[in-house]
mmCIF file of all heavy atoms in Angstrom:
data_model
loop_
_atom_site.group_PDB
_atom_site.id
_atom_site.type_symbol
_atom_site.label_atom_id
_atom_site.label_comp_id
_atom_site.label_asym_id
_atom_site.label_seq_id
_atom_site.Cartn_x
_atom_site.Cartn_y
_atom_site.Cartn_z
ATOM 1 N N ILE F 27 8.773 -24.893 38.071
ATOM 2 C CA ILE F 27 8.315 -23.502 37.987
ATOM 3 C C ILE F 27 7.208 -23.310 36.980
ATOM 4 O O ILE F 27 6.160 -22.652 37.205
ATOM 5 C CB ILE F 27 9.520 -22.512 37.689
ATOM 6 C CG1 ILE F 27 10.404 -22.465 38.935
ATOM 7 C CG2 ILE F 27 9.023 -21.163 37.303
ATOM 8 C CD1 ILE F 27 11.628 -21.637 38.813
ATOM 9 N N LEU F 32 1.648 -21.956 35.644
ATOM 10 C CA LEU F 32 0.406 -22.263 35.047
ATOM 11 C C LEU F 32 -0.761 -22.407 36.045
ATOM 12 O O LEU F 32 -1.867 -21.964 35.826
ATOM 13 C CB LEU F 32 0.509 -23.540 34.188
ATOM 14 C CG LEU F 32 1.463 -23.414 32.987
ATOM 15 C CD1 LEU F 32 1.572 -24.691 32.245
ATOM 16 C CD2 LEU F 32 1.113 -22.261 32.083
ATOM 17 N N ALA F 76 -2.800 -13.319 47.952
ATOM 18 C CA ALA F 76 -3.833 -14.155 48.562
ATOM 19 C C ALA F 76 -4.204 -15.290 47.526
ATOM 20 O O ALA F 76 -4.434 -16.454 47.923
ATOM 21 C CB ALA F 76 -5.053 -13.339 48.911
ATOM 22 N N LYS F 85 -1.925 -28.477 40.869
ATOM 23 C CA LYS F 85 -3.197 -28.505 40.120
ATOM 24 C C LYS F 85 -3.013 -29.394 38.904
ATOM 25 O O LYS F 85 -2.089 -29.206 38.097
ATOM 26 C CB LYS F 85 -3.561 -27.103 39.646
ATOM 27 C CG LYS F 85 -4.395 -26.337 40.656
ATOM 28 C CD LYS F 85 -5.341 -25.388 39.991
ATOM 29 C CE LYS F 85 -6.390 -25.059 40.954
ATOM 30 N NZ LYS F 85 -7.395 -24.136 40.445
ATOM 31 N N VAL F 128 10.773 -35.857 24.154
ATOM 32 C CA VAL F 128 9.412 -35.327 24.406
ATOM 33 C C VAL F 128 9.631 -33.893 24.926
ATOM 34 O O VAL F 128 10.288 -33.689 25.889
ATOM 35 C CB VAL F 128 8.641 -36.156 25.460
ATOM 36 C CG1 VAL F 128 7.235 -35.571 25.738
ATOM 37 C CG2 VAL F 128 8.537 -37.610 25.033
ATOM 38 N N LEU F 160 17.411 -14.071 6.214
ATOM 39 C CA LEU F 160 16.314 -13.079 5.984
ATOM 40 C C LEU F 160 14.959 -13.725 5.838
ATOM 41 O O LEU F 160 13.935 -13.173 6.101
ATOM 42 C CB LEU F 160 16.610 -12.289 4.670
ATOM 43 C CG LEU F 160 17.755 -11.271 4.797
ATOM 44 C CD1 LEU F 160 18.047 -10.591 3.422
ATOM 45 C CD2 LEU F 160 17.438 -10.228 5.894
ATOM 46 N N ARG F 161 15.009 -15.030 5.375
ATOM 47 C CA ARG F 161 13.738 -15.714 5.198
ATOM 48 C C ARG F 161 13.824 -17.163 5.696
ATOM 49 O O ARG F 161 14.535 -17.965 5.155
ATOM 50 C CB ARG F 161 13.363 -15.691 3.669
ATOM 51 C CG ARG F 161 12.016 -16.282 3.392
ATOM 52 C CD ARG F 161 11.730 -16.349 1.888
ATOM 53 N NE ARG F 161 10.589 -17.165 1.586
ATOM 54 C CZ ARG F 161 9.386 -16.722 1.446
ATOM 55 N NH1 ARG F 161 9.108 -15.404 1.598
ATOM 56 N NH2 ARG F 161 8.318 -17.556 1.287
ATOM 57 N N GLU F 172 19.790 -23.504 23.163
ATOM 58 C CA GLU F 172 19.332 -24.681 23.888
ATOM 59 C C GLU F 172 17.909 -25.013 23.598
ATOM 60 O O GLU F 172 17.280 -25.840 24.305
ATOM 61 C CB GLU F 172 19.568 -24.590 25.397
ATOM 62 C CG GLU F 172 21.022 -24.257 25.701
ATOM 63 C CD GLU F 172 21.277 -24.089 27.217
ATOM 64 O OE1 GLU F 172 20.315 -24.299 28.017
ATOM 65 O OE2 GLU F 172 22.448 -23.832 27.583
#
Side-chain angles (χ1 to χ4, degrees):
Chain F
I27 288 179
L32 296 179
K85 274 212 160 178
V128 179
L160 288 176
R161 184 185 167 93
E172 301 182 1

